[in-house]
Structure formats: structure tokens, C-alpha cells
């Protein structure tokens, strides 16, 4: 809106408790006091203004018909001439208006020019002032003006206006309210002390404020003078600070675009672009910042840039040693004088001028802020100084960002390497806090408290590659036999009689190893043959490849099949290792996913380990949750959940065997321990373990039970296609048989359960096992769900 007189259609009334009545009455009153002034010019000016009032009394009594602003445009301009000096009209940004409304009149010429530069269709509006807030602020003005309260709710008000180049500029509005008055109408509600007390506790309740101050229940009579100031630099700095504090960074794809616009406002450049690069002190390199839309013009498409060899001497010294801005007003000109990759990189991106601003703290370089333009000279050492006021905020943000990154790295290390499960983290935090207090009091003698949990029930399960040692040995034999065959083929071609005796002995050794692999593979066989290849065969083959051209292709073929890292044929073993690694990854991923659901049943401790399969430990009890209300039902629920998940893991593996390099069988087992025990976090091993001699029996069973034999046989208790539940108490047998029957009814388990007695383990007797075959469902069947203990009880009762 340029001017109501010239652009009446642009005024939009905003709902307000005050009916606006434009009047110059208070201004006329001041001129009346000037009639008797000894200054003849002042008295004459007062007489001129008051004659206008006499001729047009509506200007004093006031009007709500804003079209009269057009009718009395000339008279209003004359009346306001002292406040709107014609000498300053091209310098001052000034209008007459009414507060909290977008109604303005009698603007200065500079204000008109600013609005015209904004372009056609631009609508002037007060920023950072929601309509409800505007209404409530107007009410507080009434409370102060009419009721004598002292409510200070001054908030800065701004116009946001683009210039002719589309650069956003900011203008702060300051009101002079000397010429206005506020009076209640018949609609006004008398405000009591009780009303006031209620209102000051309910700023956000717009309906309450409207009930106490109905729309148009007071009359605003007069006008205000809006003194407007260009605060683009200050506001740009504030916006930079807000953006950086806002923590958007690489989380918000619009961050760079918005940040770029702020710098464009600060420097008044439309074609400005902003980039960042991080400094790696250890490598002396600049690196890209990870994140959507984050760019580095220094590094460009590379991952990093070596500073010493890529920067010119001046820029290296200024940025890395002196920590000062380095401005390049003409990239092309400087590139023709100094031949370094730095300028070539900028040229390749169409950059003609640039400012590189070091982000440094405590004399340590953290990174570089990069401002670039595709026009020469527009960025230079002069306007680089405008960055001085914003760099502290950028430095603070980069420091915070690096600290957060370090915290994130530490969190990842903790999660992946020394995991502290969320269910027990509260006790570690409590112990850490106590340790900090103790350290303040006791100094170096302070010790970290013992982390232990009493009376918790353990659950253990594992799904392992069946016969993993045999499978790996078989893969090793195949690789060694293949390597021996390749060597044998080479020596079969050697016919020189002078060399025959030497090579015959080697051929004999090869044949001996082949026979040993086929008939009597021992623990040290692999090492013996590997040493033979490394110390005897490889040096000889390298010698022969130079001496005998006829053997070159076969020798090259041999070395092409040798793994560069291991120095042996690594084909069948790689298939085995890859299968185990993929199996562990997939099973661990499925277990972790299901654990999220299990934690919602009742919080409990969980950990898993990868070996030639996946093992997991769980502990559940009131001491872990730090809450009252633990009941055996939660233990039963978790046991049933565990059995179902173990079945699902087997299903997942066998349904996805086409994804694995080798077809290997797996065996699943659950260990049931009837009594609660205590666990303690071992600081040296960074893991939980059972606490006390009695409880150690549980750990012994865990480590040995999967190798246990069925009593009176040489058959292991675990086997492919079956899930084994090991226990020692009759009540455990009864409980788990109920789970088995339930899952048989759901077509998860087969109807072939066995009750088996196990051979005694070292120090452990009386173990038994339930063993039952799994029913493998189709991979495409997504109907399967996990059942709860409540489902089991409901089925039993039905």
C-alpha cells in the first residue's frame, strides 16, 4: 500500500477493540498555544493551520470515512507540514497512520520511492505481528490509557519490503502517539481489578480478551506519526543468529536457501551464493559439509581439498595462519597471475568474485564460510568487513555443531561397541551423577558405584549355523585342494631333465598334501600348507615366470586366483564367511526389530552377540524398570514372545536361502532358568554378567548346553529344523509345553514334540529338553502375527 489517497483499495481493516477515527484535534490544540508566541513566524504558522480547522471542522472533530483523506489531501499535507518537513522528505522514511492497522497517509517521498521499487502487486503489512496478538496488544494500550495500568508490551514492529533488485530489506516502525486519544463507547465493558487479574494470566486466550474488550468498543481518535528506519543490516544479523540457533542445518533442505537470502540482504547482492567447508587439522584439508543442499565452492565436487598444495600462498597464510578474511574481487584476473588449483576450481563454477571467511575459535580454524558471486568486483575486501558482526554467531554454531557431531559419534560407538541398553541407562546416569558429586568432595579417591540388579529373571536364546566347524573345514579343504591343483598343473609342464629331480620332490609334496586333505584333515594342516605355499611355491613361481615363458600364463592364472590380502585361494571360505556374515546381519536385524515391540510389553534388559549365529540375553524384573508393579505375567509373556521370535527367525532364514552364497543348516535353542538371579556390570569387560557363585551355574550351562548330547546317545540336543528348549524344573516343562501346544494350534510348530534327558555337563546335572520341529510358512504369507500370553490363556479357557 503506497498511500490511501492514491491507492484506497489496498487498505484492509484489521479487527480491533478500537474504532479508528482520524482526527487532528490534539495537533490543533498545540497550534492554539502557539498563537501568542513571541516568534512571529511560529504565530503566523499557527494561524494558518487553525484557519484550515475553522474552514474544515471535520478535521478536528474526526471522521471514520477514510475517503475524506482523498478529499482533504491538500489540507492534511499543509497541517502536517511541520511534522513532515519538505526539506527532509527525500531522506526521512515517514508516514501518518493509525497504530496496528495497515492504514497510512501523507507519506514522505522516500517512503513512496521504497514502495514503488517493491513493484506492482506488493502489499504492505506489519511483520512478526499475528492478528490475535495485534488485537490483544491494542487491549493493553486501552488498559494503560483508560484505566491507568502499567502494562509494558512494546514489541518491535517491522515492514519487510523488497528493493528494485528483489533483495529483501527490513524497516523498523517507531510510533509517535502525541496526537491521539482513546475513549470508551457504549459497547465498552467496565474493567474491574478482578478482570485485570484474570487477563494478565491469559494472554493467549483471545476469546477472553474479546469478551472484555468487544470489537469497536473504544474509539481511537487522532493519528500517529510512523518514523521508519532501514535496519536491514541489524535485522540480517539477527536473522543469521536465529537461523543458526534454530539448529536446522542439514536437517532442513531450505536452510541454505534461507541463509543465502539473509546474506543477500546484508550485502545487498542479488546473485550471492553461500557455501561452507570444514577444516580437518590432522589432514590439513578442507572437507564438504554433509547434508541436503550443503555446498562447498572450495572443495566443489571432491570430498576434500589439500590446503597447502591447492591454495595460493596469500590465501593459505591469511586463512590458516592469520585467520583473516581473504577476498578475491576478480577471480579471472588473479587466476591469470597465480596458477593454483584454488582459482581453477572457482573458475570452473563460473565464480567471478568471492570472500572466504575463516571460522576460527581460540586460534583454531574450524572451517570456511564461502560467499561467491558470478559478477566480478561485487565481493571485495571492503564489504568483507560486514561479516565481522555475524562471524561470532557462525563460530558459536560451528563449535556447537562439532560438539554435537562428537556426541553423536560417541553415541554410535556406545551403541555399536559398548552398548548401554536404555532399560538400564537410568542407573548409569544416577551413578555418573553421584561420581561427579563425589569427585568434587573426595577428589581422585572417588570411585564409580557398582551397577547391579537383584532378583531378575534371565532368558537366553541362540540361532546358530549347524555344524559350523565342519562347514568351515570343508570350505578350507576345497580352497587348499584348488590351490594345490593349480600348482600341480604348472609343475606337470616342466620337462627339463636337469630340473626334474628338484621339481619331482615338490610334486611329491603336493600329492602328499592332497592325500592328507582328503583323508586326515587336522587342526594344523591349513597352517602347514599355507606356509608351504608362501615360503616355497610363490618364490619359485616368480622365478619361473621370468625364466620360462611357456609357464607364464599358468603362473599368472595361479596368482590371479590368490587373494591379495590373505595370500591364499579364498573362494569357498569366502562363500562360507559371507554366508555367516549375512546370516548374522539378517537375524540380528530381525531380532532388533522385534525387540522394539517386546519392550512395549514390559521394559527389560536386552543384549545380543554375533558368533557363528546370533545369541541374545534378556533380564526382566522390577529392579531393572525402577518401577513397582512387576508381575510374573510379564515374564511369561516375554518367554512366549521369545519362542515365537526364534521360530520366525528360522522361517526367515530358510525362506531366504536363495540370497545366501551357501546353503547351510541352522539350529535354534532356548535356555530356561527358573530362579531369579543378580547381574552386575563388569567395568573391565564393559558388559553385564551374573553376580555370585551360585548364579555362575547359569553361565556354565549357557556356554556348554548347545554341545550337550541326548542321554545314552551321540546325538546333540540341538538339530536342524527343530527348536530345543532346555530346562531343569518340572514347572518349566509344564509351562513350555503349554506354549508349544498353543503354537502347534497356530501352525507354527509341528506335532512331534519330544521330552529328552541330557548327559551331565561339567558340574551340572538333571537337564532336560523339549524338542519340536518347526513348520515353515511361505515367505509371501504376511498373515502371521505374534501372540501374547493373554491369547494363550484365552485359548486354554475356551
Amino acid at each position: 500500500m503506497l498511500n490511501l489517497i492514491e491507492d484506497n483499495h489496498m487498505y484492509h481493516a484489521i479487527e480491533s477493540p478500537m474504532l479508528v477515527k482520524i482526527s487532528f484535534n490534539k495537533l490543533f490544540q498545540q497550534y492554539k498555544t502557539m498563537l501568542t508566541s513571541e516568534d512571529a513566524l511560529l504565530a503566523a504558522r499557527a494561524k494558518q493551520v487553525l484557519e484550515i480547522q475553522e474552514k474544515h471542522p471535520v478535521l478536528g472533530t474526526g471522521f471514520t470515512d477514510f475517503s475524506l483523506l482523498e478529499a482533504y489531501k491538500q489540507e492534511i499535507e499543509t497541517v502536517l507540514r511541520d511534522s513532515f518537513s519538505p526539506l527532509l522528505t527525500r531522506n526521512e522514511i515517514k508516514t501518518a497512520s493509525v497504530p496496528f492497522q495497515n492504514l497510512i497517509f501523507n507519506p514522505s517521498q522516500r517512503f513512496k520511492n521504497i514502495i514503488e521499487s517493491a513493484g506492482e502487486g506488493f502489499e504492505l503489512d506489519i511483520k512478526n505481528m499475528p492478528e490475535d496478538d495485534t488485537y490483544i496488544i491494542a487491549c493493553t494500550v486501552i488498559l494503560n490509557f483508560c484505566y491507568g495500568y502499567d502494562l509494558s508490551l512494546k514489541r518491535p514492529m517491522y515492514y519487510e519490503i523488497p528493493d528494485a533488485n528483489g533483495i529483501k530489506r527490513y524497516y523498523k516502525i517507531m510510533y509517535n502517539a502525541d496526537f491521539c486519544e482513546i475513549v470508551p463507547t457504549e459497547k465498552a465493558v467496565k474493567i474491574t481489578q478482578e478482570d485485570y487479574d484474570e487477563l494478565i494470566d491469559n494472554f493467549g486466550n483471545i476469546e477472553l480478551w474479546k469478551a472484555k474488550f468487544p470489537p469497536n468498543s473504544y474509539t481511537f481518535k487522532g493519528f500517529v506519526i510512523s518514523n521508519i528506519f532501514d535496519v536491514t543490516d541489524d535485522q540480517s544479523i539477527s536473522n543469521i543468529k536465529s537461523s543458526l540457533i534454530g539448529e536446522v542445518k542439514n536437517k532442513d533442505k531450505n536452510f541454505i536457501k534461507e541463509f543465502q537470502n539473509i546474506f543477500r540482504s546484508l550485502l545487498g547482492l542479488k546473485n550471492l551464493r553461500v557455501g561452507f567447508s570444514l577444516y580437518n587439522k590432522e589432514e590439513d584439508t578442507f572437507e564438504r559439509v554433509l547434508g541436503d543442499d550443503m555446498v562447498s565452492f572450495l572443495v566443489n565436487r571432491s570430498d576434500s581439498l589439500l590446503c597447502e598444495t591447492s591454495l595460493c600462498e596469500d590465501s593459505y597464510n591469511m586463512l590458516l595462519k592469520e585467520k583473516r578474511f581473504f577476498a578475491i574481487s576478480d577471480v579471472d584476473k588473479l587466476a591469470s597471475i597465480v596458477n593454483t588449483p584454488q582459482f581453477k576450481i572457482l573458475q570452473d563454477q563460473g565464480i567471478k568474485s568471492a570472500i572466504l571467511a575463516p571460522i576460527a575459535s581460540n586460534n583454531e580454524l574450524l572451517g570456511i564460510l564461502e560467499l561467491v558471486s558470478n559478477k566480478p568486483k561485487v565481493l571485495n575486501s571492503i564489504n568483507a568487513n560486514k561479516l565481522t558482526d555475524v562471524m561470532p554467531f557462525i563460530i558459536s554454531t560451528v563449535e556447537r555443531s562439532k560438539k554435537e557431531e562428537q556426541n553423536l559419534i560417541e553415541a554410535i560407538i556406545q551403541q555399536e561397541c559398548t552398548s548401554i541398553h536404555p532399560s538400564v541407562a537410568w542407573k548409569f546416569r544416577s551413578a555418573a551423577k553421584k561420581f561427579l558429586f563425589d569427585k568434587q568432595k573426595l577428589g581422585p579417591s572417588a570411585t564409580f558405584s557398582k551397577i547391579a540388579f537383584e532378583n531378575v529373571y534371565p532368558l537366553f536364546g541362540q540361532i546358530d549355523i549347524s555344524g559350523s566347524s565342519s562347514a568351515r573345514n570343508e570350505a578350507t579343504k576345497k580352497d587348499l585342494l584348488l590351490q594345490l591343483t593349480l600348482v600341480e598343473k604348472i609343475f606337470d609342464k616342466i620337462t627339463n631333465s636337469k630340473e626334474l629331480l628338484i621339481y619331482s620332490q615338490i610334486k611329491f609334496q603336493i600329492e602328499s598334501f592332497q592325500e592328507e586333505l582328503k583323508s586326515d584333515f587336522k587342526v594344523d594342516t591349513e597352517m602347514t600348507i599355507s606356509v608351504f605355499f608362501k615360503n616355497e611355491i610363490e618364490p619359485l613361481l616368480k622365478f619361473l615366470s621370468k625364466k620360462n615363458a611357456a609357464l607364464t600364463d599358468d603362473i599368472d592364472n595361479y596368482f590371479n586366483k590368490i587373494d591379495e590380502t590373505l595370500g591364499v585361494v579364498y573362494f569357498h571360505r569366502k562363500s562360507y564367511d559371507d554366508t555367516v556374515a549375512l546370516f548374522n546381519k539378517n537375524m540380528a536385524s530381525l531380532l532388533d526389530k522385534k525387540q522394539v515391540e517386546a519392550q512395549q510389553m514390559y521394559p527389560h534388559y536386552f543384549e545380543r552377540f554375533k558368533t557363528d549365529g546370533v545369541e541374545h540375553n534378556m533380564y526382566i524384573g522390577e529392579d531393572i524398570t525402577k518401577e513397582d508393579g512387576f508381575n510374573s505375567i510379564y515374564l511369561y509373556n516375554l518367554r512366549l514372545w521369545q519362542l515365537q521370535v526364534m521360530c520366525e527367525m528360522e522361517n526367515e532364514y530358510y525362506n531366504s536361502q536363495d540370497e545366501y552364497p551357501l546353503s547351510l543348516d541352522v539350529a535354534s535353542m532356548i535356555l530356561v532358568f527358573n530362579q531369579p538371579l543378580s547381574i552386575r556390570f563388569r567395568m573391565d569387560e564393559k558388559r553385564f554378567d551374573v553376580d555370585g557363585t551360585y548364579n555362575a551355574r547359569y553361565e556354565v550351562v549357557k556356554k556348554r548346553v548347545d554341545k550337550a548330547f541326548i542321554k545314552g546317545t551321540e546325538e546333540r540336543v540341538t538339530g536342524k529344523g527343530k527348536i530345543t528348549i532346555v530346562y531343569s524344573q518340572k514347572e518349566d516343562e509344564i509351562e513350555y509345553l503349554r506354549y508349544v501346544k498353543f503354537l502347534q494350534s497356530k501352525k507354527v510348530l509341528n506335532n512331534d514334540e519330544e521330552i529328552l534327558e541330557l548327559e551331565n555337563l561339567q558340574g551340572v546335572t538333571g537337564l532336560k529338553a523339549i524338542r519340536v520341529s518347526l513348520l515353515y510358512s511361505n515367505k509371501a504369507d504376511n498373515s502371521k502375527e505374534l501372540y501374547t500370553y493373554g491369547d494363550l490363556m484365552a485359548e486354554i479357557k475356551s
Side-chain angles (χ1 to χ4, degrees):
M1 176 174 53
L2 172 60
N3 183 322
L4 186 64
I5 299 173
E6 300 171 359
D7 241 337
N8 187 50
H9 68 281
M10 296 186 73
Y11 169 64
H12 305 291
I14 297 173
E15 188 178 37
S16 172
M18 295 186 288
L19 176 68
V20 175
K21 192 172 187 179
I22 295 177
S23 166
F24 302 94
N25 180 56
K26 293 199 76 172
L27 182 65
F28 290 144
Q29 288 177 11
Q30 289 207 21
Y31 276 114
K32 284 179 182 178
T33 63
M34 294 167 56
L35 281 172
T36 57
S37 173
E38 295 180 359
D39 188 325
L41 290 175
L42 286 179
R45 172 64 182 151
K47 182 179 179 182
Q48 179 190 18
V49 171
L50 292 172
E51 285 175 352
I52 293 174
Q53 180 194 18
E54 290 175 8
K55 189 174 181 180
H56 306 288
V58 69
L59 296 178
T61 57
F63 54 87
T64 56
D65 179 4
F66 300 144
S67 65
L68 293 180
L69 288 169
E70 174 76 26
Y72 295 108
K73 177 181 178 181
Q74 192 61 48
E75 288 79 6
I76 291 171
E77 186 178 320
T78 302
V79 168
L80 295 178
R81 187 165 295 155
D82 289 335
S83 300
F84 290 77
S85 171
L87 294 174
L88 301 176
T89 189
R90 296 186 180 278
N91 180 274
E92 292 183 331
I93 311 172
K94 203 170 191 178
T95 71
S97 63
V98 292
F100 316 125
Q101 298 279 347
N102 61 347
L103 168 65
I104 63 171
F105 56 94
N106 201 63
S108 67
Q109 186 59 47
R110 185 177 174 191
F111 184 84
K112 289 182 184 180
N113 295 342
I114 289 171
I115 299 300
E116 287 171 1
S117 296
E120 188 176 349
F122 172 74
E123 291 194 17
L124 192 67
D125 194 14
I126 297 175
K127 296 296 177 184
N128 75 313
M129 190 66 70
E131 192 167 321
D132 285 355
D133 284 8
T134 302
Y135 193 102
I136 294 170
I137 291 171
C139 294
T140 64
V141 171
I142 294 170
L143 284 170
N144 292 348
F145 199 98
C146 299
Y147 294 94
Y149 290 108
D150 184 19
L151 279 176
S152 177
L153 193 58
K154 291 182 179 179
R155 287 176 56 188
M157 289 177 287
Y158 297 92
Y159 290 136
E160 201 174 274
I161 308 171
D163 63 15
N165 294 318
I167 302 297
K168 197 178 292 183
R169 302 196 68 81
Y170 301 91
Y171 299 89
K172 188 174 183 179
I173 309 163
M174 301 290 288
Y175 287 137
N176 180 335
D178 289 345
F179 307 111
C180 60
E181 52 189 319
I182 300 172
V183 294
T185 68
E186 66 279 358
K187 293 182 181 180
V189 177
K190 181 70 175 177
I191 302 299
T192 65
Q193 183 64 41
E194 289 76 13
D195 293 328
Y196 174 78
D197 292 342
E198 184 180 9
L199 288 167
I200 61 175
D201 288 331
N202 288 278
F203 177 83
N205 188 344
I206 184 63
E207 297 305 321
L208 175 64
W209 287 90
K210 285 184 176 181
K212 304 297 184 185
F213 299 92
N216 298 332
S217 56
Y218 291 80
T219 298
F220 171 89
K221 185 179 179 182
F223 73 99
V224 296
I225 297 173
S226 298
N227 295 289
I228 303 167
F229 304 92
D230 187 337
V231 292
T232 301
D233 288 357
D234 292 341
Q235 187 61 32
S236 296
I237 293 171
S238 177
N239 289 345
I240 288 171
K241 181 180 179 181
S242 299
S243 296
L244 294 173
I245 290 174
E247 300 276 358
V248 288
K249 299 190 291 300
N250 55 9
K251 300 175 187 176
D252 188 346
K253 291 185 178 180
N254 295 319
F255 171 67
I256 281 293
K257 183 178 179 181
E258 294 172 1
F259 204 57
Q260 208 159 244
N261 288 335
I262 296 169
F263 271 102
R264 287 173 177 176
S265 295
L266 178 65
L267 295 173
L269 298 175
K270 184 178 182 180
N271 58 357
L272 181 74
R273 289 182 291 163
V274 179
F276 292 93
S277 56
L278 296 178
Y279 178 63
N280 184 328
K281 184 178 180 180
E282 288 76 16
E283 304 291 338
D284 191 34
T285 58
F286 292 131
E287 299 175 349
R288 294 166 56 88
V289 179
L290 295 177
D292 295 324
D293 294 340
M294 300 296 283
V295 296
S296 170
F297 301 107
L298 268 178
V299 178
N300 198 12
R301 293 185 179 88
S302 304
D303 291 330
S304 62
L305 174 82
L306 189 60
C307 299
E308 190 169 9
T309 58
S310 300
L311 300 179
C312 70
E313 185 178 355
D314 285 346
S315 60
Y316 187 90
N317 288 335
M318 290 181 72
L319 294 173
L320 276 75
K321 294 184 177 179
E322 300 173 22
K323 316 296 188 299
R324 292 194 294 125
F325 301 145
F326 182 73
I328 313 167
S329 62
D330 193 329
V331 172
D332 291 339
K333 180 180 178 181
L334 199 55
S336 66
I337 301 171
V338 183
N339 183 23
T340 57
Q342 166 194 359
F343 302 115
K344 181 67 167 61
I345 291 171
L346 297 177
Q347 280 184 311
D348 289 345
Q349 298 171 82
I351 295 168
K352 303 299 182 183
S353 61
I355 296 173
L356 305 177
I359 304 168
S361 175
N362 296 323
N363 206 36
E364 180 182 346
L365 185 65
L366 305 175
I368 300 291
L369 169 67
E370 309 160 355
L371 305 182
V372 302
S373 172
N374 58 8
K375 291 186 177 182
K377 309 290 176 58
V378 296
L379 292 170
N380 50 66
S381 63
I382 304 300
N383 55 14
N385 287 280
K386 278 202 167 189
L387 299 178
T388 302
D389 295 324
V390 306
M391 291 310 293
F393 306 123
I394 294 174
I395 291 168
S396 176
T397 300
V398 172
E399 286 181 319
R400 187 176 69 245
S401 178
K402 287 179 77 71
K403 185 175 181 180
E404 288 170 356
E405 181 184 25
Q406 188 61 38
N407 290 340
L408 182 60
I409 291 171
E410 293 294 334
I412 291 171
I413 292 172
Q414 185 186 90
Q415 178 181 337
E416 298 298 327
C417 306
T418 57
S419 176
I420 296 176
H421 195 263
S423 63
V424 296
W426 63 271
K427 197 149 191 174
F428 284 86
R429 286 193 293 268
S430 177
K433 189 179 291 184
K434 182 178 183 300
F435 178 70
L436 287 176
F437 284 124
D438 289 348
K439 201 170 182 180
Q440 286 181 335
K441 295 178 182 177
L442 306 175
S445 62
T447 58
F448 199 84
S449 302
K450 171 184 173 182
I451 305 291
F453 297 95
E454 308 289 336
N455 296 317
V456 295
Y457 291 89
L459 295 92
F460 173 77
Q462 67 178 36
I463 178 169
D464 279 346
I465 301 293
S466 184
S468 57
S469 296
S470 298
R472 193 188 186 285
N473 286 343
E474 187 62 31
T476 302
K477 284 166 61 175
K478 289 180 179 179
D479 280 342
L480 293 175
L481 283 169
L482 174 58
Q483 193 166 352
L484 287 168
T485 301
L486 291 170
V487 175
E488 185 179 36
K489 181 180 177 183
I490 295 169
F491 284 94
D492 283 342
K493 289 189 176 183
I494 300 175
T495 58
N496 190 312
S497 59
K498 292 182 179 178
E499 300 173 329
L500 188 59
L501 291 176
I502 300 172
Y503 297 127
S504 293
Q505 187 274 330
I506 293 176
K507 280 192 65 177
F508 173 76
Q509 184 67 62
I510 292 171
E511 290 168 357
S512 299
F513 281 139
Q514 288 173 330
E515 185 63 31
E516 183 178 348
L517 285 171
K518 293 174 183 177
S519 62
D520 189 24
F521 185 81
K522 299 175 183 177
V523 175
D524 60 344
T525 302
E526 179 181 0
M527 178 61 69
T528 302
I529 297 176
S530 296
V531 171
F532 169 69
F533 283 130
K534 183 177 181 181
N535 295 342
E536 296 187 42
I537 298 299
E538 288 187 11
L540 186 56
L541 291 182
K542 290 175 182 178
F543 167 74
L544 287 173
S545 67
K546 296 176 182 178
K547 184 179 178 182
N548 193 335
L551 300 176
T552 301
D553 289 343
D554 289 318
I555 293 174
D556 287 345
N557 181 48
Y558 171 84
F559 282 110
N560 287 337
K561 287 183 168 59
I562 300 298
D563 183 272
E564 292 183 4
T565 304
L566 301 175
V568 295
V569 170
Y570 182 60
F571 177 74
H572 296 288
R573 278 172 287 186
K574 185 177 189 304
S575 295
Y576 172 81
D577 291 342
D578 289 348
T579 298
V580 172
L582 183 59
F583 172 75
N584 285 346
K585 176 187 173 184
N586 290 343
M587 294 303 101
S589 176
L590 177 59
L591 187 59
D592 289 346
K593 180 181 176 183
K594 294 297 180 182
Q595 245 296 299
V596 175
E597 302 170 9
Q599 290 293 338
Q600 294 173 359
M601 300 175 187
Y602 191 85
H604 56 277
Y605 179 80
F606 169 81
E607 62 182 356
R608 59 164 173 77
F609 308 95
K610 296 177 183 177
T611 53
D612 282 345
V614 177
E615 301 177 0
H616 66 270
N617 290 317
M618 295 185 288
Y619 298 99
I620 187 170
E622 194 168 287
D623 205 27
I624 286 179
T625 62
K626 198 187 173 184
E627 296 176 3
D628 296 334
F630 176 76
N631 188 285
S632 297
I633 191 72
Y634 298 120
L635 172 62
Y636 302 149
N637 213 55
L638 193 59
R639 284 176 170 176
L640 179 55
W641 170 90
Q642 181 189 37
L643 180 57
Q644 292 177 90
V645 170
M646 294 293 290
C647 295
E648 187 170 342
M649 289 167 73
E650 279 231 10
N651 260 282
E652 176 66 24
Y653 170 67
Y654 280 108
N655 273 305
S656 306
Q657 273 207 328
D658 57 329
E659 300 174 8
Y660 294 85
L662 287 181
S663 178
L664 300 174
D665 286 312
V666 299
S668 300
M669 185 204 72
I670 289 172
L671 174 63
V672 183
F673 197 73
N674 187 266
Q675 298 298 317
L677 44 74
S678 299
I679 58 173
R680 176 169 59 92
F681 188 78
R682 297 190 181 279
M683 295 297 178
D684 52 345
E685 298 179 11
K686 297 294 184 289
R687 62 184 296 270
F688 276 101
D689 202 353
V690 295
D691 197 19
T693 305
Y694 172 76
N695 295 328
R697 178 174 177 267
Y698 173 70
E699 286 296 322
V700 171
V701 176
K702 256 191 351 182
K703 291 174 182 176
R704 299 176 181 174
V705 71
D706 65 322
K707 305 293 191 296
F709 293 108
I710 299 171
K711 198 164 189 176
T713 73
E714 293 295 318
E715 181 186 353
R716 284 198 177 167
V717 68
T718 57
K720 64 181 181 180
K722 296 178 182 288
I723 190 160
T724 303
I725 304 161
V726 179
Y727 60 94
S728 61
Q729 302 296 320
K730 184 63 178 178
E731 54 263 40
D732 296 331
E733 178 182 303
I734 295 170
E735 177 188 343
Y736 273 88
L737 281 175
R738 284 196 298 179
Y739 301 156
V740 169
K741 295 293 184 187
F742 178 64
L743 294 180
Q744 286 171 338
S745 73
K746 300 300 180 183
K747 307 301 181 186
V748 175
L749 296 174
N750 206 349
N751 297 317
D752 62 349
E753 69 274 13
E754 308 169 86
I755 306 295
L756 307 169
E757 290 187 37
L758 306 187
E759 292 284 3
N760 294 338
L761 298 175
Q762 184 178 350
V764 180
T765 60
L767 291 178
K768 299 178 73 176
I770 301 170
R771 194 168 69 173
V772 59
S773 300
L774 288 95
L775 295 176
Y776 296 101
S777 62
N778 190 300
K779 189 175 182 180
D781 181 12
N782 296 318
S783 62
K784 185 163 47 173
E785 59 180 312
L786 292 178
Y787 303 101
T788 66
Y789 188 77
D791 297 328
L792 170 63
M793 292 295 101
E795 179 132 329
I796 291 173
K797 291 176 182 177
S798 65

